[in-house]
Amino acid sequence: MDIKNELYYEDTHSNDNAYDHILVLIHGNLITCKYWKRLIQQIQQVNSKIRCISMDLRGFGRSQSNQNVDQITDLSNDVDILLKSLLSDKNDEYYQEHVFLAGWSLGGIVGMQLAVDYPNKYQKLILIASGSVCGYALMREDEEGQVRCQTKQQVKEHPKVALQQQKLSDKDREFMKMFFDKVLFNSGKYPEEQEYKQLLDETFLQTQYTNVCWALNQFDISSGGANKASQIKGPVLIYHGELDIVIPKVFAEGNAKEIGEEKCTLIIRPGVGHMPPIEDVVNLALEISRFIN
């Protein structure tokens, strides 16, 4: 990929301000790097020496590409390519001392794939309301009962995927606002009206929703799948909302067990749903700063 033409990113220290650490922020599904804005501002208040780099993944926001997303490694490799471009004069030793990966929801899965494939390219991993090491299985009925979808066409025809894809294509703001209110912000801690409108505008920029769902459906690095989760090196911070109904907290606990509980710090936050970088920004920024330092 031509990074400059195809991947959009934002960098708090693009003007060469001094920094000690680099935090790479990887967003989730249905959102873009703009959803990190609150958290980045809060982190800068806590510690301005943390350089925050956030990007729109392929097919999201302003990172539009002719290349489809077919598997999670398409996204994780894009992140690696971007970092190589921005840190072209740095070696693995630098990455291991200064680079921290933070993934939210889908971004957590991308972060785990990065950690598996590039263990020498980061110091610590942060999983925020992260997807499972088992991926996001889309189930369908066949003669044997409930089975995981096996083809992209089956994923495309899955009722949940088909509905969400249609609403994105139609730019159905009323539906998406209702979905966000009830599912993503089920804690009742909504953004202010103008901010919420701007964030929803970002959501409708996504062009590869079905392909991303297919990639999530295939992903499985658990002990029952590719058996690579335990290869993720620590330390790992797992930060999850107790009220999360998109990815219930049992999956955060399962991630810790699969990665290795001795490597992980697990924080389950009461009163928080699937959107900690917006719902719980002050505490999350403090925990990230502590973890980095």
Side-chain angles (χ1 to χ4, degrees):
M1 291 180 70
D2 184 336
I3 292 297
K4 292 182 179 178
N5 291 334
E6 296 190 7
L7 285 182
Y8 174 83
Y9 70 93
E10 297 185 354
D11 185 349
T12 56
H13 290 60
S14 57
N15 57 359
D16 294 327
N17 285 353
Y19 61 89
D20 296 326
H21 307 292
I22 298 173
L23 178 63
V24 182
L25 297 152
I26 310 167
H27 66 74
N29 206 2
L30 290 176
I31 65 177
T32 70
C33 72
K34 301 292 187 182
Y35 279 73
W36 289 113
K37 182 178 179 180
R38 275 197 198 188
L39 181 62
I40 290 172
Q41 289 175 340
Q42 192 65 36
I43 288 171
Q44 293 303 295
Q45 288 182 31
V46 174
N47 185 350
S48 63
K49 291 297 185 71
I50 297 175
R51 176 184 178 184
C52 295
I53 298 172
S54 58
M55 63 181 284
D56 286 343
L57 295 171
R58 187 192 305 188
F60 294 80
R62 292 149 190 82
S63 292
Q64 297 305 325
S65 169
N66 294 325
Q67 301 179 62
N68 285 337
V69 177
D70 194 56
Q71 50 195 350
I72 294 299
T73 50
D74 293 330
L75 301 176
S76 58
N77 287 338
D78 285 353
V79 178
D80 180 58
I81 290 169
L82 177 64
L83 288 178
K84 284 178 181 175
S85 174
L86 296 176
L87 305 175
S88 58
D89 60 334
K90 308 301 183 187
N91 57 23
D92 283 0
E93 184 178 348
Y94 179 89
Y95 276 81
Q96 291 174 62
E97 290 181 2
H98 297 282
V99 174
F100 298 77
L101 304 175
W104 174 9
S105 195
L106 159 70
I109 286 177
V110 175
M112 288 190 284
Q113 186 69 62
L114 269 165
V116 166
D117 292 340
Y118 305 102
N120 297 325
K121 289 295 185 71
Y122 73 100
Q123 184 184 142
K124 296 180 182 178
L125 173 65
I126 302 166
L127 302 176
I128 304 166
S130 174
S132 168
V133 293
C134 301
Y136 192 88
L138 289 161
M139 309 303 288
R140 65 182 184 87
E141 290 281 351
D142 73 359
E143 59 275 6
E144 297 179 4
Q146 287 276 316
V147 296
R148 198 165 184 154
C149 291
Q150 296 298 310
T151 67
K152 186 181 286 189
Q153 186 63 30
Q154 289 171 353
V155 167
K156 183 178 180 179
E157 293 169 356
H158 191 280
K160 287 183 180 179
V161 176
L163 175 63
Q164 199 69 267
Q165 180 64 73
Q166 187 62 54
K167 297 302 182 182
L168 283 170
S169 299
D170 293 344
K171 292 186 166 39
D172 190 333
R173 179 173 289 274
E174 184 178 347
F175 171 87
M176 202 62 70
K177 174 72 162 50
M178 178 192 69
F179 174 76
F180 272 55
D181 283 353
K182 293 186 176 181
V183 180
L184 301 184
F185 289 109
N186 63 305
S187 68
K189 299 173 182 175
Y190 310 117
E192 293 181 2
E193 184 177 354
Q194 185 60 28
E195 180 187 7
Y196 209 163
K197 180 182 181 301
Q198 292 170 349
L199 292 176
L200 286 175
D201 288 343
E202 291 292 307
T203 288
F204 287 112
L205 297 175
Q206 185 169 350
T207 57
Q208 295 203 36
Y209 179 76
T210 299
N211 289 338
V212 170
C213 291
W214 166 238
L216 285 168
N217 181 71
Q218 295 178 88
F219 180 84
D220 186 353
I221 60 168
S222 73
S223 53
N227 195 26
K228 292 183 177 180
S230 62
Q231 296 176 18
I232 295 173
K233 73 175 187 182
V236 179
L237 173 63
I238 300 176
Y239 195 100
H240 217 88
E242 188 176 41
L243 302 181
D244 195 333
I245 57 175
V246 178
I247 303 167
K249 65 178 182 179
V250 65
F251 290 103
E253 295 162 350
N255 285 347
K257 289 179 181 176
E258 287 277 350
I259 293 169
E261 290 176 305
E262 73 285 353
K263 305 176 195 173
C264 298
T265 299
L266 175 62
I267 297 175
I268 305 293
R269 286 287 289 164
V272 177
H274 191 61
M275 311 292 273
I278 296 173
E279 300 168 285
D280 196 30
V281 64
V282 174
N283 192 72
L284 178 55
L286 285 171
E287 292 293 348
I288 287 174
S289 182
R290 288 191 191 113
F291 188 65
I292 286 177
N293 288 301

